[in-house]
Amino acid sequence: MHRYREFGLMSEQDDVLRRAFRDGFKRAGLSFAQFLDALAWYRDHARPAADEAQLADAFARFAADNGWPAEQRDGVLDLYRTIRDDGPAAVMQAPRPDEDRASVARADELLRNDPARYWGDIELQDAAFEARERLDGVAPAEGTAPPPKASRDRRRIEEIAVLLRDPSGDGQRRYWADAGLRTDYAQALARVHGGIDSAKGEGAPSSPAMPEDVSIATAAT
């Protein structure tokens, strides 16, 4: 995801590892905010030639300085060893399709009814994004592919969401400067979420409100 480039995560493998560590943090009882703090620490301290033992000691000091209980610190170190030895799949467990559909529905509803809260919740945005990825992969196998119009709307929603997640801010500026784009987004959301066959110009819901100067990446801190 683009927003994690600020942490030095650029490749697909980086994203797989990020998701694995995030899931492991959650199971260890750590919050999403703690996960982001640890990502920032890793960005600032990890080097290709870094000694593993020294890095572990440095992380232990970081955890202590931030008041993490010893069991959480040890849980993260155990998580690292598991991923190192057995790979990311050892700590990742994909939700069931019905759970993914529920995640997408919650995110869509929040985006329509309380967009400020949606854009302020990175964890929820990630969950919805990943749920859509998985559902796109399983729909044909289950014989439940959405109708072509719904598929087009989903793609359009994701295209515009990518603009809004652009860490440079260029996508957000384009969104707010283009009334047609905002209307397009609102109408696609209405059709997908509310089952509306068509949304006429004057009857379309207002476009999601997000302050022009909001930075999604900054919201993580």
Side-chain angles (χ1 to χ4, degrees):
M1 280 188 176
H2 294 303
R3 70 164 57 101
Y4 294 105
R5 289 180 178 175
E6 66 172 296
F7 297 104
L9 307 180
M10 309 297 288
S11 69
E12 290 185 9
Q13 180 62 19
D14 287 339
D15 198 52
V16 170
L17 289 169
R18 175 190 64 80
R19 296 183 188 194
F21 274 100
R22 179 204 59 202
D23 292 352
F25 265 62
K26 188 173 183 178
R27 281 197 295 274
L30 289 116
S31 69
F32 188 72
Q34 286 175 300
F35 168 69
L36 292 178
D37 287 343
L39 268 186
W41 174 88
Y42 184 80
R43 173 198 61 201
D44 296 338
H45 292 81
R47 299 291 182 272
D51 178 83
E52 186 173 301
Q54 292 178 337
L55 198 60
D57 289 342
F59 178 80
R61 290 193 296 272
F62 159 80
D65 290 343
N66 284 275
W68 294 15
E71 57 270 21
Q72 290 185 341
R73 175 205 64 205
D74 293 343
V76 172
L77 293 174
D78 287 343
L79 172 66
Y80 165 77
R81 297 183 188 104
T82 299
I83 294 174
R84 178 197 64 193
D85 296 340
D86 302 323
V91 299
M92 298 174 73
Q93 183 175 0
R96 299 188 309 272
D98 62 312
E99 294 174 328
D100 278 336
R101 293 187 186 97
S103 294
V104 169
R106 284 194 299 271
D108 285 351
E109 182 176 9
L110 192 61
L111 182 57
R112 292 187 66 205
N113 298 324
D114 192 353
R117 182 180 170 191
Y118 173 88
W119 291 114
D121 191 336
I122 294 176
E123 187 173 12
L124 179 139
Q125 293 171 46
D126 284 358
F129 180 84
E130 294 170 22
R132 287 191 175 100
E133 280 186 332
R134 288 187 292 267
L135 289 173
D136 286 346
V138 302
E142 294 185 347
T144 57
K149 188 172 184 179
S151 296
R152 288 197 299 272
D153 284 334
R154 288 278 185 200
R155 286 196 296 271
R156 187 58 175 152
I157 289 168
E158 183 54 37
E159 287 170 0
I160 298 173
V162 168
L163 284 178
L164 292 169
R165 290 195 297 264
D166 180 1
S168 74
D170 290 343
Q172 294 175 27
R173 285 187 286 273
R174 177 184 167 190
Y175 177 84
W176 290 107
D178 188 337
L181 186 64
R182 297 197 302 274
T183 299
D184 193 12
Y185 193 34
Q187 290 177 347
L189 282 170
R191 287 189 294 267
V192 168
H193 181 77
I196 299 173
D197 291 332
S198 63
K200 305 302 181 184
E202 65 274 15
S206 59
S207 60
M210 184 174 68
E212 188 169 357
D213 60 350
V214 167
S215 168
I216 303 304
T218 302
T221 60

